[in-house]
Amino acid sequence: MEFSRETSAGFLANHMARLFERGLARRIAPLGLAPAQFMTLLELWREDGLTQRDLVARLDVEQATMANTLSRMERDGLILRRPDEQDRRARRIYLTDRARQLQAPATQAAAAQNGQALADLTPEETALFNDLMRRVIAQMQQAE
Amino acid sequence: MEFSRETSAGFLANHMARLFERGLARRIAPLGLAPAQFMTLLELWREDGLTQRDLVARLDVEQATMANTLSRMERDGLILRRPDEQDRRARRIYLTDRARQLQAPATQAAAAQNGQALADLTPEETALFNDLMRRVIAQMQQAE
DNA sequence: TGCACTTCAATAGCACGCTATGCAATGCTA
DNA sequence: TAGCATTGCATAGCGTGCTATTGAAGTGCA
């Protein structure tokens, strides 16, 4: 049984994800955004005023990871963190105007990266590919 | 045009790769290995005495990333770095006995992670999936 | 021969993933 | 209601990715 980069789904996934992230990073850097910030904004554009706990659940990262990402976003003027009125442990997260204005250009940049990555695939293959990824993700999540 | 985690290949790839890496990290931690170290060992098990430059080319990471990974591996007693005889700028990388002994258990751990992740896919789907990933990787590499 | 260019590697500094801890606030239960 | 467990978040410390910079060594050409 030979184990190599070319035949291991885990390595292919890692390599592919690094290429996606590199490409996205380059495309959104001019907007002053980093990949994890964009991922977080994607949720906040959909629904403002979430708590850190909400974001952790939706994005499937550890709480400490999200805390640090949010600190950088606050530092960069993308979000405000205001105390929750009911629960004084929690802080609700609100977008700044700057963050709202970045929605269109940032999602365009991400779409362009996806488009480039998938340029060689037919629409059917793309749909199949996404579906397979979702199934593999679900399988690993369930196994945890 | 709706852009969301569920429909973006980039996000799916990122999420999937994080799950793969988490799983692998847990499985090889008892061996005293971290994911990037394992990835590097995979090349060195195949061919010993490579230079940093060789590894950078084969694993598609930046030179600085590899330099740091190799430093940690040296610190952990996995490799030795000896000066090249011809080119005094370069240092060749050699496995220690400890690293050689880890080949079987570490590759087993990685295979188990792959197996778990792909448990829901038929062999045909797995082959197709890997093939699609290779095509997407090739496309992004060519676009760089 | 000498000087510029390239190449190999190390380092600094940052983003972002993780685990492990700790603190304050909240909730539950005896 | 007092005490304990749980929850929300921050922080420390580390691995691994990146870019940018530097120094030393090799290469090549006027």
Side-chain angles (χ1 to χ4, degrees), chain A residues 4-6 8 10 15 18 22 39 43 46 58 60 114 116 120 125 134-135 139 144, chain B residues 4-6 8 10-11 15 18 22 43 46 58 60 114 116 120 125 134-135 139 144:
Chain A
S4 78
R5 296 194 322 278
E6 294 79 17
S8 163
H15 192 182
R18 281 190 286 119
R22 265 188 227 169
M39 180 170 84
E43 288 306 310
R46 184 179 289 181
R58 296 186 195 202
D60 193 16
N114 281 339
Q116 181 183 79
D120 196 34
E125 285 174 326
R134 276 189 289 266
R135 285 169 63 195
Q139 179 67 31
E144 274 187 350
Chain B
S4 77
R5 294 194 323 276
E6 292 310 305
S8 163
F11 276 98
H15 192 183
R18 280 190 288 115
R22 266 189 226 169
E43 287 307 310
R46 185 179 288 181
R58 298 187 193 202
D60 194 15
N114 282 339
Q116 180 182 81
D120 197 33
E125 285 175 326
R134 276 189 289 266
R135 285 169 65 192
Q139 179 67 30
E144 272 187 353

Side-chain angles (χ1 to χ4, degrees), chain A residues 8-14 16-17 60 131-144, chain B residues 11-27 109-121 129 133:
Chain A
S8 163
F11 276 98
L12 292 169
N14 174 272
M16 180 173 68
D60 193 16
D131 206 59
L132 286 166
M133 285 196 285
R134 276 189 289 266
R135 285 169 63 195
V136 172
I137 288 167
Q139 179 67 31
M140 282 193 281
Q141 282 182 323
Q142 186 235 311
E144 274 187 350
Chain B
F11 276 98
L12 293 169
N14 174 272
H15 192 183
M16 180 173 68
R18 280 190 288 115
L19 287 165
F20 264 114
E21 186 157 350
R22 266 189 226 169
L24 178 64
R26 282 173 194 156
R27 288 173 193 270
Q113 178 60 35
N114 282 339
Q116 180 182 81
L118 303 170
D120 197 33
L121 272 54
F129 186 47
M133 286 197 283

Side-chain angles (χ1 to χ4, degrees), chain B residues 13 78 89 97:
Chain B
L78 293 166
R89 293 169 304 182
D97 284 346

Side-chain angles (χ1 to χ4, degrees), chain B residues 47-124:
Chain B
E47 184 180 352
D48 209 6
L50 297 173
T51 64
Q52 185 180 115
R53 171 169 177 46
D54 295 330
L55 288 167
V56 162
R58 298 187 193 202
L59 297 179
D60 194 15
V61 296
E62 290 301 317
Q63 173 265 321
T65 299
M66 184 52 67
N68 286 328
T69 295
L70 290 174
S71 290
R72 286 187 291 270
M73 292 175 74
E74 190 172 40
R75 177 203 63 190
D76 297 346
L78 293 166
I79 57 162
L80 297 173
R81 288 194 274 196
R82 280 205 290 267
D84 185 284
E85 315 233 318
Q86 270 71 47
D87 186 341
R88 278 178 307 160
R89 293 169 304 182
R91 303 167 69 184
R92 299 212 162 261
I93 293 150
Y94 298 97
L95 293 173
T96 61
D97 284 346
R98 165 162 141 66
R100 266 185 224 100
Q101 282 162 4
L102 290 173
Q103 180 168 13
T107 53
Q108 265 172 24
Q113 178 60 35
N114 282 339
Q116 180 182 81
L118 303 170
D120 197 33
L121 272 54
T122 66
E124 293 75 26

